[in-house]
Amino acid sequence: MKRAYSLLAERSVRLLQNEAPQLPSDAVIFSMIQPTGDFHLGNYLGANKVWKQIQDEKLPSQTCLFGVADLHAITVAKLDAPKFKQLRIQAIASILALGISPEKCIVSFQSMIPEHSQLNWLLATITSMGYLNRMTQWKSKSVGMDEDQVKLGLFAYPVLQAADILLYDSTHVPVGEDQKQHLELTRYIVRRFNKMYKGEYLVEPQTVFTPTKKVLSLTNPTKKMSKSDPDPMSRIYLTDTPECIQRKIKKCLTDSITDAFYYDPEARPGVSNLINIVSGLQNKTVAQVEEDIKHMRDYRAFKGYVSDMIIEELAPVRTRYESLIKDPAYLMEVATKGSLERARPIAQRTIKRLMDRMGF
């Protein structure tokens, strides 16, 4: 029987600006990111910055697991194997560049731990097709595809995501707003399994929402910032040079109002997106950022201010990344130790507990 958690009755924790995550002393914090290239500013403010905050506040009795969801990455076929391998290494470098310590946290490759796939199958047998068919993300990713092009992995990947979380008895999962539905599915699976097998065998995790609202595309602020956008000017990577950041912010889409800058996501989505970015970088509320910029009367000053904030925040991340990526052997060593020596023993205990109860 699993230990009880005092906060499990709550569905989510929503962090406020300047608020350190207040988590139970026995919390297990889990999050992963796909190896689709360098992290961008949306990834950073949507989840990755909170990883570092959680690590820095971590108690010895808490467990942090951060990793690379490389099995999820193949829901869209990766035909260039050497490139995919490099993307996986880059993802580990990016995690460490954020300031994540492999001594304080478990850093792993999902694919190195076969129990992820094993639990995925066990959970798939109790997850309804109807629930999966209501998931919005697979629908958005399959737009324009016919039935033959939409693969089972793309349709059912939320079950694997649930398995990732539940494999470690995770109690808290820091994510952006776009992952809300996936965490709801995870809790649904937990309740179904526990009801079927008459006990608390799986832990129901809480969603930890980051304080920054969704970061939008610099060229089309009606969409979120994404690596899949064909326009490279739409996003800022954590490894972009200061000159590149300045160029992207200078050319980003705003509006024709030049004598005042304020937050209005409906009427001024481009300006509001930039204010939201500064809010996340500075750990300030939107109102505080508006107060800081109220004296500005032209886009040169406003966009220069935004560029300076981004450059200052990302400079140490870029420096660490450039150093780490030169040593792929070290990065593989970190991922291998984290996966096989630290994460997998936890995963094996969970699988044994569940399979024993299921009669295997």
Side-chain angles (χ1 to χ4, degrees):
M1 184 66 65
K2 293 307 298 169
R3 54 187 175 175
Y5 294 95
S6 60
L7 295 180
L8 285 183
E10 298 177 26
R11 289 285 186 264
S12 65
V13 176
R14 187 171 295 278
L15 301 181
L16 302 176
Q17 298 292 358
N18 270 327
E19 178 186 61
Q22 299 297 314
L23 304 179
S25 61
D26 55 356
V28 179
I29 302 97
F30 175 91
S31 195
M32 282 188 161
I33 193 162
Q34 288 195 38
T36 52
D38 296 339
F39 294 177
H40 60 66
L41 196 58
N43 303 139
Y44 180 68
L45 294 176
N48 304 147
K49 187 176 182 181
V50 173
W51 293 7
K52 178 65 163 55
Q53 291 173 329
I54 289 173
Q55 172 192 267
D56 292 347
E57 298 290 330
K58 178 183 176 298
L59 301 174
S61 55
Q62 294 173 335
T63 304
C64 291
L65 302 103
F66 301 126
V68 179
D70 45 357
L71 293 177
H72 284 285
I74 61 171
T75 55
V76 177
K78 299 293 187 291
L79 302 179
D80 188 337
K83 181 179 179 180
F84 183 46
K85 183 175 182 179
Q86 180 62 21
L87 289 173
R88 294 169 67 244
I89 291 292
Q90 288 174 356
I92 294 292
S94 296
I95 290 173
L96 299 187
L98 295 170
I100 298 300
S101 164
E103 285 73 43
K104 294 181 180 180
C105 304
I106 299 174
V107 179
S108 66
F109 277 133
Q110 177 193 33
S111 62
M112 281 189 174
I113 305 160
E115 287 75 16
H116 282 267
S117 299
Q118 189 174 5
L119 183 55
N120 174 47
W121 175 249
L122 299 180
L123 300 182
T125 65
I126 66 169
T127 305
S128 74
M129 292 278 286
Y131 201 125
L132 289 175
N133 199 43
R134 293 193 295 271
M135 304 298 285
T136 57
Q137 285 216 358
W138 85 266
K139 291 181 179 179
S140 66
K141 292 180 179 180
S142 62
V143 170
M145 297 182 182
D146 59 35
E147 287 187 356
D148 289 336
Q149 291 175 309
V150 179
K151 309 304 182 187
L152 175 61
L154 180 60
F155 176 74
Y157 82 89
V159 183
L160 176 57
Q161 190 173 40
D164 299 336
I165 295 165
L166 300 177
L167 192 58
Y168 303 100
D169 295 326
S170 308
T171 62
H172 295 80
V173 184
V175 293
E177 287 279 359
D178 60 344
Q179 294 298 313
K180 178 180 178 180
Q181 195 180 32
H182 290 159
L183 268 294
E184 290 172 351
L185 171 67
T186 301
R187 288 188 283 267
Y188 155 83
I189 290 172
V190 169
R191 290 192 292 269
R192 289 204 68 171
F193 187 96
N194 288 344
K195 183 177 180 180
M196 287 177 64
Y197 292 100
K198 299 179 173 60
E200 294 183 9
Y201 298 99
L202 288 174
V203 172
E204 190 169 332
Q206 290 187 81
T207 310
V208 180
F209 287 121
T210 56
T212 306
K213 297 182 186 298
K214 181 166 60 179
V215 177
L216 303 175
S217 163
L218 298 179
T219 55
N220 182 0
T222 63
K223 301 182 189 176
K224 76 172 185 176
M225 186 175 287
S226 172
K227 296 169 191 169
S228 62
D229 191 317
D231 186 355
M233 297 296 289
S234 69
R235 57 195 172 271
I236 289 175
Y237 288 113
L238 272 58
T239 52
D240 279 348
T241 64
E243 295 75 20
C244 183
I245 293 170
Q246 288 171 340
R247 184 169 63 254
K248 289 179 178 180
I249 294 298
K250 182 178 180 180
K251 294 187 176 182
C252 74
L253 184 65
T254 48
D255 54 49
S256 59
I257 303 172
T258 61
D259 61 344
F261 303 99
Y262 51 85
Y263 188 82
D264 184 342
E266 292 296 325
R268 309 190 72 186
V271 169
S272 299
N273 189 38
L274 296 182
I275 291 174
N276 179 49
I277 288 171
V278 174
S279 170
L281 294 173
Q282 294 190 322
N283 292 320
K284 290 183 176 182
T285 65
V286 164
Q288 288 172 324
V289 175
E290 286 180 315
E291 180 67 21
D292 291 341
I293 63 176
K294 68 179 183 180
H295 64 282
M296 296 181 185
R297 293 293 179 267
D298 60 70
Y299 271 109
R300 182 176 181 180
F302 174 59
K303 289 187 173 182
Y305 176 77
V306 175
S307 296
D308 289 345
M309 294 299 104
I310 298 172
I311 291 166
E312 181 179 359
E313 177 85 9
L314 299 187
V317 178
R318 181 167 61 90
T319 300
R320 286 192 295 265
Y321 179 87
E322 290 174 349
S323 175
L324 287 162
I325 202 63
K326 295 175 183 176
D327 194 351
Y330 168 72
L331 296 171
M332 278 302 300
E333 180 184 0
V334 167
T336 302
K337 286 185 176 180
S339 301
L340 302 184
E341 296 180 16
R342 300 181 68 190
R344 195 173 184 203
I346 302 172
Q348 289 173 322
R349 290 194 295 270
T350 302
I351 286 291
K352 183 179 187 307
R353 181 180 79 238
L354 298 181
M355 295 192 72
D356 282 350
R357 182 62 189 91
M358 295 174 75
F360 289 102

